[in-house]
Amino acid sequence: MTVQDTPGPYLDGFERILADAATTGRRLTRDELQSHRDLGAQAAEAGHGWRTLVRAHLTAAREGWPRGAAPDSVLTVIEQAVDAFGDGYERAQRLVVRKEEAARREFIDDLLHGRGDPGRLAAHSERFGLRLSRAHAVAVAEGPEKYDETDAVPRQVASELFARFENRRILFTTKDGRMVCIAPGDQDDVLTHFADHAHAVTGQAQVAIGRPRPGAVGIGHSYEEALNALDVAQRMGFDEPLLRAADLLVFPVLARDRQALVELVRNMVGPLEHARGGAKPLLDTLLAYFDTGCVAAAAARRLSLSVRALTYRLERIHTLTGTDPTDPADRYALQTAVIGARLLDWPARPL
């Protein structure tokens, strides 16, 4: 390799400094060091590889070796010059990485929250691994801790995900302490594998998958569906590791008209507050009863009660509310009110 084959502009002044400093045995001046830092930064911004740049310096030193200079003096100058050059190069690279990460984070935030111009998002999506002309679905994993992308758990999940699906157009990130995976809507295997691995790594992560939606705005909607599914699971006490928003659509429908839901809960199960011990024990009784298909023996086992004690509680509920949980004609409205109470976090939160 000759100097002419290398990034010549970024070696500006090197041979002159080498000839002068190596011959006299002096150290590089502050201006000479700063000049080399600036050249290193320019080389990094121009995209030149570090190995090529170091080789260029060594080639220039060999071809421009000062006649009669002591080898130690020449090597000292090379060391100082390359060290200053490398300092500028690394600083510029860190700045580029930070700018790239900031751009990626801005893109992700705009995408998940439905902000920004759809055309601009679509133009930048290829750069971050997505093709927004397709429908996408979003999976959100909520673990026992809050994570960001530098933590060990997200790194492990991401590494496994991209190792298995290296040719797929997917995006992995963290948002508000949760792990997020975006994949084409027809590639459910990616999202279920993400869910399985997130649960396996954390031991208890719960993952919700939103419905596939088209375009940039659709990704934001799918993300919100996944978050809402996690919220519903927490309120309703669902402990399944994988939730699908499509299977939980009844809950956002119920919660959409909050005032109507409040009135339903207040009228149907509000009288339970007059029971000794408050409403919660009887509300838990109704929940267990409905969850077990209205089988008294199974509900009693779940509550660690005798069947007789459970039957007494059901009779007490009938007396207080005027609605019989064992009567199919009354059951639907009462069960809907119980679901509404869980969504509203009643009676812990007053209506």
Side-chain angles (χ1 to χ4, degrees), residues 105-116 120-121 216:
R105 178 52 58 187
E106 182 182 3
F107 170 80
I108 290 170
D109 287 346
D110 288 348
L111 194 62
L112 295 181
H113 291 299
R115 299 192 301 257
R120 183 182 64 82
L121 290 174

Side-chain angles (χ1 to χ4, degrees), residues 310-345:
L310 180 86
T311 302
Y312 170 78
R313 286 192 180 186
L314 294 177
E315 291 172 352
R316 183 65 177 148
I317 291 167
H318 187 186
T319 300
L320 289 168
T321 65
T323 307
D324 185 1
T326 65
D327 184 347
D330 292 343
R331 191 178 297 156
Y332 174 76
L334 191 57
Q335 186 171 5
T336 304
V338 170
I339 293 171
R342 296 297 295 273
L343 289 173
L344 296 171
D345 197 21

Side-chain angles (χ1 to χ4, degrees), residues 28-45:
L28 271 63
T29 66
R30 180 177 299 179
D31 289 344
E32 288 170 339
L33 292 172
Q34 186 58 50
S35 174
H36 253 61
R37 290 191 190 97
D38 294 342
L39 290 170
Q42 294 167 22
E45 291 167 358

Side-chain angles (χ1 to χ4, degrees), residues 41 44-45 88-102:
E45 291 167 358
Y89 185 91
E90 290 174 359
R91 288 184 185 182
Q93 276 206 322
R94 286 194 295 269
L95 182 60
V96 168
V97 169
R98 284 196 295 269
K99 287 182 177 178
E100 181 71 11
E101 180 54 33

